[in-house]
Amino acid sequence: MSAIDLIRARAPDFAPKVGLILGSGLSGFADTLDDGVAISYADLPGFPETGVAGHAGRLLLGSVSGMPVAVMQGRTHYYESGQAGGMKIPVRTLAALGVECMIITNAAGSVNPGTGPGSIMLVSDHINFTGVSPLFGEPDSARFVDLCGAYDQNLRAMFHKAAAAAGIDLDDGVYMWFCGPNFETPAEIRAANILGADAVGMSTVPEVILARHAGLKVAALSVITNLAAGLSDTPLSHAQTMAAADRASQALQILLTGFLARYQGQIR
Ligand code: HPA
């Protein structure tokens, strides 16, 4: 049975409008879902094993303020397998379920010394510094995906309105994808700065490319968990990333909830 058939069997007639992918330490939003059905990735053919602490590995189908959403609690990363296409089936499954847009969150390091841990950045564009694509091997000309405007203007405007209404600072910025799993060197972060990045991280870009390929609109939020390599004396570690993500997760939840209310047309 395919993932899509299994989901339809477990949640008949469920038609999510928005898909969300929650990053490291950022899955608290999932607790705000009403009437959710939770399906372990292990039960969904083609969904990843999530081996990273902080990534739960569950698909949740439920609603937020009455709007049906599909929430991926956890993702796989390029660095886990050396395959950039690990999120192909999940993204395509959500598209097949009928989601119109994909909201992606991640933890990231800040390239700007003035933007510290706890800040949230709305991704306006990305730089793929890995040289790989989740679309390697795709058979037809649909693989030549236009990534201009990949981060949808209208969705971004809704996030800005949600942030303003809640008194949360939300700056736009460029996210640069490094493959990890090691953190960057200080020289790489200086290069990232020169190349126009505001934040660096090890995820998101493959899912954005897959979502655009599947015809979905996209928005992405980076929770800044640390200053990037060379910008502070605090040693970089996954534990520190998780702790800072946990501290910022409440603001992230407010943004996501405010966004969904606007998406649904409940608030302008
Ligand atoms: N670099 C890459 N990925 C990250 C970082 C970082 O500094 N912080 C959180 N994820």
Side-chain angles (χ1 to χ4, degrees):
M1 203 188 247
S2 69
I4 185 87
D5 291 337
L6 212 135
I7 293 165
R8 288 200 173 119
R10 295 275 288 271
D13 303 325
F14 186 79
K17 285 179 74 169
V18 176
L20 294 102
I21 300 175
L22 303 177
S24 308
L26 302 172
S27 25
F29 171 75
D31 300 335
T32 66
L33 254 61
D34 300 322
D35 302 331
V37 171
I39 309 175
S40 164
Y41 291 174
D43 294 339
L44 293 170
F47 275 56
E49 279 177 35
T50 51
V52 187
H55 291 78
R58 295 192 307 169
L59 175 68
L60 302 174
L61 305 163
S63 55
V64 178
S65 314
M67 180 165 63
V69 297
V71 180
M72 291 195 64
Q73 234 181 342
R75 56 156 64 86
T76 187
H77 304 79
Y78 176 51
Y79 61 73
E80 290 174 73
S81 62
Q83 305 290 321
M87 292 294 283
K88 207 180 263 188
I89 288 180
V91 170
R92 291 179 183 171
T93 300
L94 295 200
L97 281 176
V99 307
E100 301 161 353
C101 66
M102 194 70 96
I103 309 302
I104 303 172
T105 68
N106 61 52
S110 174
V111 175
N112 305 323
T115 306
S119 314
I120 302 183
M121 181 184 95
L122 184 61
V123 180
S124 56
D125 204 347
H126 75 231
I127 300 170
N128 180 350
F129 202 59
T130 68
V132 301
S133 168
L135 300 178
F136 283 167
E138 281 299 307
D140 53 39
S141 58
R143 64 189 163 190
F144 300 111
V145 176
D146 183 357
L147 291 177
C148 294
Y151 299 86
D152 186 80
Q153 285 282 3
N154 292 331
L155 300 185
R156 284 167 53 200
M158 290 180 212
F159 273 110
H160 278 302
K161 285 183 184 161
I168 295 169
D169 284 335
L170 184 67
D171 288 332
D172 284 347
V174 173
Y175 177 90
M176 191 168 198
W177 179 33
F178 280 83
C179 62
N182 49 279
F183 286 101
E184 301 74 28
T185 64
E188 286 165 347
I189 295 305
R190 287 194 298 277
N193 188 20
I194 291 166
L195 292 174
D198 296 292
V200 293
M202 306 176 193
S203 69
T204 300
V205 168
E207 295 104 271
V208 170
I209 296 171
L210 289 165
R212 293 302 298 142
H213 181 250
L216 305 179
K217 292 180 181 161
V218 169
L221 292 162
S222 292
V223 171
I224 302 299
T225 54
N226 56 281
L227 292 178
L231 297 182
S232 108
D233 295 334
T234 311
L236 298 175
S237 70
H238 189 59
Q240 190 227 11
T241 299
M242 297 298 295
D246 190 47
R247 286 196 294 277
S249 68
Q250 202 186 346
L252 184 72
Q253 282 178 42
I254 293 170
L255 286 180
L256 291 172
T257 308
F259 164 82
L260 290 171
R262 283 166 180 81
Y263 189 83
Q264 203 180 3
Q266 287 180 344
I267 314 178
R268 299 233 158 251

